[in-house]
Amino acid sequence: MSPLRGEEFTGRTVEEAVERGLRALGRKRGEVDIEVLEKGKPANVLGIGGEDARVLLSFQEDAQPETDEPQTDEAEVPRHPAAERPARDDDETPPAYAEELALAATVLRDLLEKMRIEAEVELAEGADEEGLEVLGQDLGALIGRGGENLVALQQIVSAITSKRVGRSVHVAVDIEGYRHRREQQLRELATRVAGRVRSTGTAVTLEPMLAYERRVVHLALQGQAGVRTESVGIEPNRRVVVSSTAPGARGPYRQGAAGPRPGYGGGYGPRRGFGPRPGGYRPRPDR
Amino acid sequence: MIEHAARQLVDEPDGVVVTEETDGDFLKLHLRVAEGDVGKVIGRGGRIAKALRALLKVMATRDGSKVNLEID
């Protein structure tokens, strides 16, 4: 049986998303299964608050050669791996220079003070990039579940710093070595999983991760023989799939030990039926 | 904090107004910025707004209150 393949497409309306998808895939309407993931909402008068419609088009992958690359998102592997600095976040902006980093440190200190958080800010030279490190007591809440508040802090600091220096810069922020440890864990996980995929030929789907975490995994396995990685699913349940490049290898139809939720990643794997998804794939914006 | 951050994100810091509305232990913040600056505090795909809310929540959780941020 030829493998079933699915890809997601977005548009302002369901119709537009479908049209776009059919065009991108070079398929006719009758050749694909259309599943509406999200109907989308029109934006308000200010042009904000609207949501894109998302559809999943699945089809039998037959003799037609695969011309398009696997879908990547902004968090994925840079297009010119050698030229890019590794371990960047989901920002496509260049890292800050030293003097910009000093300014960013001031920005971060001010912000923490306004948040009434007592902590020191130091310039830190990480394993792969320079950044800022917040040091202090009880900073767990500031890191947040899975580091989500840390990412928020970094975004605000980056945005303010960018505004101040007049160009878009990316400021890496760590808190008590959290990110550093997490990245190390992810690299170890990636290597372990890659070993298993190589020996068994079966693809493994990792647990959902933040954009920067997925990037770490992609980068860790980039250029490694015998395996390839791609992200599937919709935020916040987007996951990395590590699959074997060996001929005849099994696709990511079965979950590895990493997560017992088959067909949950979206896009790949057995097509799930209609109806509610376990856990919901995308929370409503908290406005 | 919101006022401080917003002022540094926009082109017209003087246009930034934050008003509070309390309802028991529930605090509602209204952030108002100059017309051309709305996008700056919302960010691409709402990222900045989302990040501001996340940081606000860190503070609220610590203080045992609930905070809501409206951008209008």
Side-chain angles (χ1 to χ4, degrees):
Chain A
M1 187 191 98
S2 51
L4 189 68
R5 231 184 109 194
E7 279 191 41
E8 282 164 32
F9 295 92
T10 59
R12 265 172 305 167
T13 61
V14 169
E15 189 51 30
E16 190 185 292
V18 172
E19 290 283 339
R20 195 174 283 183
L22 292 172
R23 229 177 304 131
L25 298 171
R27 304 259 166 180
K28 295 203 184 64
R29 207 162 277 254
E31 297 171 347
V32 300
D33 268 343
I34 300 170
E35 183 179 352
V36 179
L37 301 175
E38 186 123 38
K39 280 188 181 152
K41 283 191 299 211
N44 65 18
V45 277
L46 291 172
I48 51 177
E51 271 184 54
D52 279 349
R54 289 163 175 274
V55 297
L56 175 68
L57 304 187
S58 19
F59 50 91
Q60 295 292 324
E61 193 170 34
D62 44 30
Q64 186 154 324
E66 194 176 327
T67 47
D68 52 343
E69 291 190 21
Q71 280 213 312
T72 54
D73 69 7
E74 70 281 5
E76 313 312 337
V77 186
R79 268 152 214 90
H80 312 290
E84 298 250 3
R85 295 182 62 149
R88 284 229 314 264
D89 195 350
D90 50 345
D91 276 307
E92 279 305 324
T93 44
Y97 292 131
E99 60 271 26
E100 291 166 343
L101 219 46
L103 171 65
T106 312
V107 168
L108 180 52
R109 273 185 206 111
D110 287 351
L111 194 60
L112 290 172
E113 194 188 308
K114 287 285 184 298
M115 292 179 72
R116 298 189 307 275
I117 289 173
E118 272 184 52
E120 302 276 312
V121 174
E122 285 182 4
L123 299 186
E125 204 159 323
D128 19 50
E129 66 179 340
E130 287 175 28
L132 302 177
E133 169 110 45
V134 181
L135 299 169
Q137 303 284 314
D138 303 324
L139 296 176
L142 190 59
I143 294 171
R145 191 160 34 96
E148 58 185 17
N149 295 339
L150 166 58
V151 171
L153 186 66
Q154 172 174 288
Q155 267 171 7
I156 298 295
V157 171
S158 293
I160 293 176
T161 308
S162 298
K163 173 84 185 155
R164 295 266 285 266
V165 302
R167 72 176 190 114
S168 231
V169 292
H170 168 80
V171 180
V173 177
D174 200 352
I175 300 175
E176 284 285 337
Y178 170 83
R179 181 197 290 271
H180 186 74
R181 284 193 305 276
R182 178 72 182 144
E183 288 181 6
Q184 211 157 328
Q185 269 175 16
L186 287 170
R187 280 190 285 263
E188 284 165 17
L189 171 77
T191 313
R192 240 184 2 254
V193 168
R196 196 162 74 218
V197 169
R198 252 186 233 112
S199 58
T200 63
T202 307
V204 171
T205 306
L206 302 179
E207 63 197 82
M209 289 175 192
L210 297 178
Y212 93 86
E213 298 175 310
R214 295 196 304 270
R215 177 176 278 267
V216 171
V217 175
H218 287 302
L219 286 171
L221 296 183
Q222 191 175 56
Q224 292 251 357
V227 293
R228 63 192 188 91
T229 59
E230 62 193 302
S231 292
V232 299
I234 305 170
E235 301 274 12
N237 283 309
R238 205 160 157 80
R239 300 145 168 258
V240 176
V241 177
V242 182
S243 48
S244 169
T245 55
R250 273 166 290 175
Y253 299 114
R254 218 184 286 173
Q255 294 291 122
R261 291 190 269 180
Y264 185 46
Y268 283 79
R271 210 178 116 69
R272 66 185 156 254
F274 288 84
R277 286 144 203 285
Y281 50 88
R282 193 177 168 188
R284 288 176 59 80
D286 51 344
R287 60 177 65 229
Chain B
M1 188 283 280
I2 288 297
E3 194 169 335
H4 168 81
R7 273 179 198 280
Q8 295 188 76
L9 288 168
V10 299
D11 288 330
E12 294 179 49
D14 293 342
V16 173
V17 181
V18 178
T19 50
E20 298 178 14
E21 201 182 311
T22 36
D23 181 11
D25 60 350
F26 194 86
L27 177 66
K28 198 171 190 175
L29 293 179
H30 291 269
L31 171 62
R32 208 159 301 166
V33 299
E35 207 172 315
D37 283 332
V38 176
K40 301 240 170 44
V41 292
I42 292 173
R44 187 160 33 99
R47 285 166 56 174
I48 299 293
K50 204 176 143 204
L52 285 174
R53 290 195 175 102
L55 296 188
L56 208 51
K57 204 171 162 193
V58 171
M59 301 169 66
T61 309
R62 180 190 53 199
D63 303 342
S65 61
K66 288 196 174 128
V67 182
N68 192 344
L69 174 67
E70 297 260 341
I71 298 170
D72 39 29

